[in-house]
Amino acid sequence: MAGEVSVAWRPDAEDAVITSRSGALQVGLGRAVVQDALSLLPGELDEERVNMLRQRLLDKAWDYVLSYSERGLDVTEDEQGTMKTLRLDVTVNRPALKKELKRLGVFYTVATPQAFDIHLTDGASDAWDDLGRLQRFTGVRVRSGASPLLQISRDAEGVWTGRLSQDDEFWIEADKDLALMWDRLWGHFFTRPGADAGLVSSLSLIIQGWYAPDGAKAFDAELRSWDKALESADLTEVHMLPDGIAATWRVATLDREALKARLDEYLPPRGLSYSFDTLP
């Protein structure tokens, strides 16, 4: 689904950051990607982390743009001179963007930081400020004795090496850029099988009140579009009951209250009711 963004600039301004239509297009696409990223998160980031995420995504915004179209270019005049506004419809690859948010850790640490322990050796002890900013962005917090354990060293060539270990698993990455090494290392952790254990609730969602099976099938498409409240939704059963049609979905959510709020808003006006059963 395309989202609308607009970018305004003054081409004659001495301090103008945007000076051309192509520059406005680049800014608009980046803005659309960041908007969608924030809408996908199961919670709200503070301003500092929003700015950090924006910087990460703007560098590769084109990777997440499926298509765009220009709706128009408006030109107005005022006492400050000429104002141009480019209006765009941008379709973002939301599944790919959500996958990246998970890899970065931001998706899982919106509300609660991930605890870890850290050991610095061999020339890495002077990196506390940089590591502090990286921890802040990723959403991880040092706690003595916590798991996973991160060990970081820096050799005479300036190469950073990190080893992240938990239980019987470990990952090793090396790079001259500390941030790149950090991202790849935590990317292994946040994309490992079971990374969402304890965060995602698996539920059986039962909805009833339709008069025809097509109603349940149509709602299935609606439910799958709730990607902020849901990780996944699979229609498993449709039942013919004396008082109408009932359908069951297996759903996974990081925020049960957000899902409940969407259901409370959507279903009652349509004469539908719902209930949950917790799945093992």
Side-chain angles (χ1 to χ4, degrees), residues 56-77:
R56 296 294 184 97
L57 295 178
L58 288 180
D59 291 339
K60 48 185 178 180
W62 279 100
D63 294 346
Y64 303 107
V65 175
L66 292 175
S67 64
Y68 72 90
S69 60
E70 297 187 12
R71 296 178 54 124
L73 179 66
D74 302 326
V75 181
T76 58
E77 300 287 342

Side-chain angles (χ1 to χ4, degrees), residues 9-38:
W9 78 101
R10 295 184 181 277
D12 298 328
E14 293 183 1
D15 58 348
V17 176
I18 304 170
T19 59
S20 65
R21 189 179 187 129
S22 61
L25 173 62
Q26 186 70 30
V27 171
L29 297 180
R31 188 171 295 173
V33 170
V34 173
Q35 281 181 184
D36 271 35
L38 296 176

Side-chain angles (χ1 to χ4, degrees), residues 4-271:
E4 184 177 345
V5 294
S6 60
V7 181
W9 78 101
R10 295 184 181 277
D12 298 328
E14 293 183 1
D15 58 348
V17 176
I18 304 170
T19 59
S20 65
R21 189 179 187 129
S22 61
L25 173 62
Q26 186 70 30
V27 171
L29 297 180
R31 188 171 295 173
V33 170
V34 173
Q35 281 181 184
D36 271 35
L38 296 176
S39 75
L40 285 168
L41 293 174
E44 305 295 329
L45 293 177
D46 60 44
E47 184 177 356
E48 182 183 10
R49 291 185 78 190
V50 168
N51 289 333
M52 289 177 172
L53 179 61
R54 180 180 292 111
Q55 291 304 313
R56 296 294 184 97
L57 295 178
L58 288 180
D59 291 339
K60 48 185 178 180
W62 279 100
D63 294 346
Y64 303 107
V65 175
L66 292 175
S67 64
Y68 72 90
S69 60
E70 297 187 12
R71 296 178 54 124
L73 179 66
D74 302 326
V75 181
T76 58
E77 300 287 342
D78 58 24
E79 64 277 4
Q80 298 181 46
T82 301
M83 170 75 80
K84 294 185 177 182
T85 303
L86 179 65
R87 293 179 288 111
L88 302 165
D89 279 336
V90 184
T91 301
V92 174
N93 187 338
R94 290 171 67 87
L97 184 55
K98 191 173 188 179
K99 185 177 180 179
E100 177 67 1
L101 293 172
K102 290 180 178 181
R103 188 190 71 82
L104 292 171
V106 178
F107 187 85
Y108 293 122
T109 61
V110 171
T112 305
Q114 166 69 47
F116 79 112
D117 201 356
I118 188 169
H119 291 169
L120 303 182
T121 59
D122 298 338
S125 57
D126 61 349
W128 278 113
D129 288 345
D130 291 335
L131 287 170
R133 285 188 288 271
L134 292 170
Q135 290 174 59
R136 182 81 178 91
F137 170 70
T138 306
V140 294
R141 181 176 297 168
V142 175
R143 193 179 73 206
S144 179
S147 182
L149 169 64
L150 175 58
Q151 298 166 286
I152 298 179
S153 63
R154 189 184 189 192
D155 66 18
E157 304 288 319
V159 175
W160 297 93
T161 299
R163 184 182 190 274
L164 187 64
S165 58
Q166 176 170 273
D167 300 328
D168 296 329
E169 292 184 280
F170 70 90
W171 306 272
I172 296 175
E173 290 288 348
D175 202 289
K176 283 196 171 184
D177 188 315
L178 177 61
L180 290 178
M181 184 275 289
W182 173 278
D183 281 355
R184 291 201 301 265
L185 207 51
W186 281 104
H188 293 302
F189 179 81
F190 285 113
T191 59
R192 76 194 192 284
D196 58 4
L199 298 172
V200 173
S201 299
S202 293
L203 305 168
S204 180
L205 170 63
I206 303 99
I207 300 177
Q208 57 188 48
W210 289 288
Y211 294 105
D214 287 348
K217 293 178 181 178
F219 180 70
D220 181 57
E222 172 69 23
L223 187 63
R224 290 170 184 272
S225 72
W226 296 358
D227 46 14
K228 185 178 178 70
L230 282 174
E231 278 292 276
S232 63
D234 297 303
L235 178 61
T236 59
E237 295 178 291
V238 177
H239 300 287
M240 304 286 291
L241 302 177
D243 56 349
I245 304 294
T248 302
W249 283 262
R250 184 186 182 99
V251 301
T253 177
L254 276 82
D255 191 341
R256 181 168 173 166
E257 290 305 310
L259 174 58
K260 187 176 182 297
R262 292 297 300 267
L263 293 167
D264 287 340
E265 177 185 11
Y266 188 90
L267 297 180
R270 293 166 173 81

